[in-house]
Amino acid sequence: MLLTISLITILIALIVMFLASILSKKTILDREKNSPYECGFDPKGSARLPFSLRFFLIAVIFLIFDVEITLLLPIASISNIANIFSWMFTSILFLAILLLGLYYEWIQGALEWSS
């Protein structure tokens, strides 16, 4: 029973993805529509400028540590209801993993903006 429901769910998902990929394709490619628009004038430069890979790396590191901080917030709220030894062990282990990750990023030079 469970296998049948799983197969039907997967089949429906595949059919929907297939139909979406077929129906969403644009068949008419126009040079004017694909060019960047600057108030009716021809563009002065390229619309696709390269961005700094360092900026992207810092942004990804920020997002990772931001998510980890949201994982740290419940630690303080469960301190009263959890076993103190398991709570302390889990908290110290999680913080050690975070500090090791931060140390690794620091050693690799990912946190230095000008290099």
Side-chain angles (χ1 to χ4, degrees), residues 45-58:
S46 175
R48 288 160 181 78
L49 298 174
F51 62 94
S52 173
L53 193 60
R54 304 290 291 173
F55 176 76
F56 180 73
L57 183 62
I58 294 290

PDB file of all heavy atoms in Angstrom, residues 45-58:
ATOM      1  N   GLY A  45      27.161  49.830 -22.292  1.00  0.00           N
ATOM      2  CA  GLY A  45      28.113  48.780 -21.947  1.00  0.00           C
ATOM      3  C   GLY A  45      27.418  47.441 -21.834  1.00  0.00           C
ATOM      4  O   GLY A  45      26.245  47.290 -22.181  1.00  0.00           O
ATOM      5  N   SER A  46      28.151  46.473 -21.375  1.00  0.00           N
ATOM      6  CA  SER A  46      27.596  45.140 -21.198  1.00  0.00           C
ATOM      7  C   SER A  46      26.648  45.125 -20.005  1.00  0.00           C
ATOM      8  O   SER A  46      26.924  45.711 -18.964  1.00  0.00           O
ATOM      9  CB  SER A  46      28.717  44.136 -20.978  1.00  0.00           C
ATOM     10  OG  SER A  46      28.195  42.867 -20.696  1.00  0.00           O
ATOM     11  N   ALA A  47      25.536  44.433 -20.164  1.00  0.00           N
ATOM     12  CA  ALA A  47      24.566  44.341 -19.070  1.00  0.00           C
ATOM     13  C   ALA A  47      24.964  43.272 -18.061  1.00  0.00           C
ATOM     14  O   ALA A  47      24.464  43.240 -16.958  1.00  0.00           O
ATOM     15  CB  ALA A  47      23.186  44.026 -19.633  1.00  0.00           C
ATOM     16  N   ARG A  48      25.847  42.409 -18.459  1.00  0.00           N
ATOM     17  CA  ARG A  48      26.263  41.328 -17.579  1.00  0.00           C
ATOM     18  C   ARG A  48      27.688  41.567 -17.113  1.00  0.00           C
ATOM     19  O   ARG A  48      28.644  41.053 -17.667  1.00  0.00           O
ATOM     20  CB  ARG A  48      26.138  39.994 -18.308  1.00  0.00           C
ATOM     21  CG  ARG A  48      24.688  39.599 -18.483  1.00  0.00           C
ATOM     22  CD  ARG A  48      24.518  38.592 -19.581  1.00  0.00           C
ATOM     23  NE  ARG A  48      23.130  38.211 -19.781  1.00  0.00           N
ATOM     24  CZ  ARG A  48      22.242  38.939 -20.421  1.00  0.00           C
ATOM     25  NH1 ARG A  48      22.573  40.106 -20.905  1.00  0.00           N
ATOM     26  NH2 ARG A  48      21.024  38.508 -20.581  1.00  0.00           N
ATOM     27  N   LEU A  49      27.805  42.369 -16.085  1.00  0.00           N
ATOM     28  CA  LEU A  49      29.110  42.691 -15.538  1.00  0.00           C
ATOM     29  C   LEU A  49      29.531  41.610 -14.550  1.00  0.00           C
ATOM     30  O   LEU A  49      28.709  41.102 -13.788  1.00  0.00           O
ATOM     31  CB  LEU A  49      29.069  44.049 -14.829  1.00  0.00           C
ATOM     32  CG  LEU A  49      28.735  45.239 -15.716  1.00  0.00           C
ATOM     33  CD1 LEU A  49      28.591  46.486 -14.876  1.00  0.00           C
ATOM     34  CD2 LEU A  49      29.825  45.428 -16.756  1.00  0.00           C
ATOM     35  N   PRO A  50      30.805  41.271 -14.537  1.00  0.00           N
ATOM     36  CA  PRO A  50      31.260  40.271 -13.562  1.00  0.00           C
ATOM     37  C   PRO A  50      31.215  40.845 -12.146  1.00  0.00           C
ATOM     38  O   PRO A  50      31.406  42.036 -11.942  1.00  0.00           O
ATOM     39  CB  PRO A  50      32.692  39.976 -13.993  1.00  0.00           C
ATOM     40  CG  PRO A  50      33.119  41.177 -14.741  1.00  0.00           C
ATOM     41  CD  PRO A  50      31.890  41.752 -15.391  1.00  0.00           C
ATOM     42  N   PHE A  51      30.958  39.990 -11.184  1.00  0.00           N
ATOM     43  CA  PHE A  51      30.934  40.429  -9.797  1.00  0.00           C
ATOM     44  C   PHE A  51      32.088  39.765  -9.067  1.00  0.00           C
ATOM     45  O   PHE A  51      32.659  38.782  -9.520  1.00  0.00           O
ATOM     46  CB  PHE A  51      29.603  40.108  -9.126  1.00  0.00           C
ATOM     47  CG  PHE A  51      29.295  38.645  -9.067  1.00  0.00           C
ATOM     48  CD1 PHE A  51      29.626  37.911  -7.942  1.00  0.00           C
ATOM     49  CD2 PHE A  51      28.688  38.005 -10.116  1.00  0.00           C
ATOM     50  CE1 PHE A  51      29.349  36.560  -7.877  1.00  0.00           C
ATOM     51  CE2 PHE A  51      28.422  36.663 -10.071  1.00  0.00           C
ATOM     52  CZ  PHE A  51      28.753  35.938  -8.954  1.00  0.00           C
ATOM     53  N   SER A  52      32.409  40.333  -7.938  1.00  0.00           N
ATOM     54  CA  SER A  52      33.540  39.854  -7.159  1.00  0.00           C
ATOM     55  C   SER A  52      33.222  38.500  -6.536  1.00  0.00           C
ATOM     56  O   SER A  52      32.227  38.340  -5.831  1.00  0.00           O
ATOM     57  CB  SER A  52      33.883  40.861  -6.064  1.00  0.00           C
ATOM     58  OG  SER A  52      34.859  40.327  -5.215  1.00  0.00           O
ATOM     59  N   LEU A  53      34.076  37.537  -6.788  1.00  0.00           N
ATOM     60  CA  LEU A  53      33.899  36.222  -6.196  1.00  0.00           C
ATOM     61  C   LEU A  53      34.134  36.265  -4.692  1.00  0.00           C
ATOM     62  O   LEU A  53      33.537  35.505  -3.944  1.00  0.00           O
ATOM     63  CB  LEU A  53      34.839  35.219  -6.859  1.00  0.00           C
ATOM     64  CG  LEU A  53      34.572  33.761  -6.576  1.00  0.00           C
ATOM     65  CD1 LEU A  53      33.179  33.368  -7.032  1.00  0.00           C
ATOM     66  CD2 LEU A  53      35.600  32.896  -7.254  1.00  0.00           C
ATOM     67  N   ARG A  54      34.979  37.180  -4.229  1.00  0.00           N
ATOM     68  CA  ARG A  54      35.218  37.338  -2.790  1.00  0.00           C
ATOM     69  C   ARG A  54      33.935  37.781  -2.088  1.00  0.00           C
ATOM     70  O   ARG A  54      33.631  37.314  -1.001  1.00  0.00           O
ATOM     71  CB  ARG A  54      36.323  38.367  -2.535  1.00  0.00           C
ATOM     72  CG  ARG A  54      37.628  38.094  -3.215  1.00  0.00           C
ATOM     73  CD  ARG A  54      38.343  36.941  -2.650  1.00  0.00           C
ATOM     74  NE  ARG A  54      38.830  37.224  -1.311  1.00  0.00           N
ATOM     75  CZ  ARG A  54      39.372  36.288  -0.562  1.00  0.00           C
ATOM     76  NH1 ARG A  54      39.507  35.081  -1.004  1.00  0.00           N
ATOM     77  NH2 ARG A  54      39.772  36.577   0.644  1.00  0.00           N
ATOM     78  N   PHE A  55      33.212  38.715  -2.719  1.00  0.00           N
ATOM     79  CA  PHE A  55      31.946  39.167  -2.144  1.00  0.00           C
ATOM     80  C   PHE A  55      30.967  38.009  -2.033  1.00  0.00           C
ATOM     81  O   PHE A  55      30.292  37.844  -1.015  1.00  0.00           O
ATOM     82  CB  PHE A  55      31.350  40.290  -2.991  1.00  0.00           C
ATOM     83  CG  PHE A  55      30.002  40.742  -2.527  1.00  0.00           C
ATOM     84  CD1 PHE A  55      29.876  41.535  -1.406  1.00  0.00           C
ATOM     85  CD2 PHE A  55      28.858  40.350  -3.200  1.00  0.00           C
ATOM     86  CE1 PHE A  55      28.629  41.942  -0.966  1.00  0.00           C
ATOM     87  CE2 PHE A  55      27.613  40.744  -2.767  1.00  0.00           C
ATOM     88  CZ  PHE A  55      27.502  41.543  -1.653  1.00  0.00           C
ATOM     89  N   PHE A  56      30.885  37.183  -3.065  1.00  0.00           N
ATOM     90  CA  PHE A  56      29.988  36.036  -3.047  1.00  0.00           C
ATOM     91  C   PHE A  56      30.389  35.056  -1.944  1.00  0.00           C
ATOM     92  O   PHE A  56      29.538  34.535  -1.232  1.00  0.00           O
ATOM     93  CB  PHE A  56      30.019  35.343  -4.411  1.00  0.00           C
ATOM     94  CG  PHE A  56      29.133  34.145  -4.502  1.00  0.00           C
ATOM     95  CD1 PHE A  56      27.759  34.283  -4.569  1.00  0.00           C
ATOM     96  CD2 PHE A  56      29.680  32.877  -4.521  1.00  0.00           C
ATOM     97  CE1 PHE A  56      26.933  33.177  -4.656  1.00  0.00           C
ATOM     98  CE2 PHE A  56      28.863  31.769  -4.599  1.00  0.00           C
ATOM     99  CZ  PHE A  56      27.496  31.922  -4.665  1.00  0.00           C
ATOM    100  N   LEU A  57      31.676  34.816  -1.769  1.00  0.00           N
ATOM    101  CA  LEU A  57      32.161  33.894  -0.743  1.00  0.00           C
ATOM    102  C   LEU A  57      31.837  34.411   0.661  1.00  0.00           C
ATOM    103  O   LEU A  57      31.377  33.657   1.516  1.00  0.00           O
ATOM    104  CB  LEU A  57      33.663  33.680  -0.893  1.00  0.00           C
ATOM    105  CG  LEU A  57      34.301  32.680   0.053  1.00  0.00           C
ATOM    106  CD1 LEU A  57      33.723  31.298  -0.164  1.00  0.00           C
ATOM    107  CD2 LEU A  57      35.795  32.664  -0.151  1.00  0.00           C
ATOM    108  N   ILE A  58      32.051  35.704   0.881  1.00  0.00           N
ATOM    109  CA  ILE A  58      31.722  36.296   2.186  1.00  0.00           C
ATOM    110  C   ILE A  58      30.216  36.207   2.444  1.00  0.00           C
ATOM    111  O   ILE A  58      29.779  35.916   3.565  1.00  0.00           O
ATOM    112  CB  ILE A  58      32.205  37.760   2.262  1.00  0.00           C
ATOM    113  CG1 ILE A  58      33.723  37.831   2.210  1.00  0.00           C
ATOM    114  CG2 ILE A  58      31.676  38.460   3.487  1.00  0.00           C
ATOM    115  CD1 ILE A  58      34.423  37.307   3.438  1.00  0.00           C
TER     116      ILE A  58
END
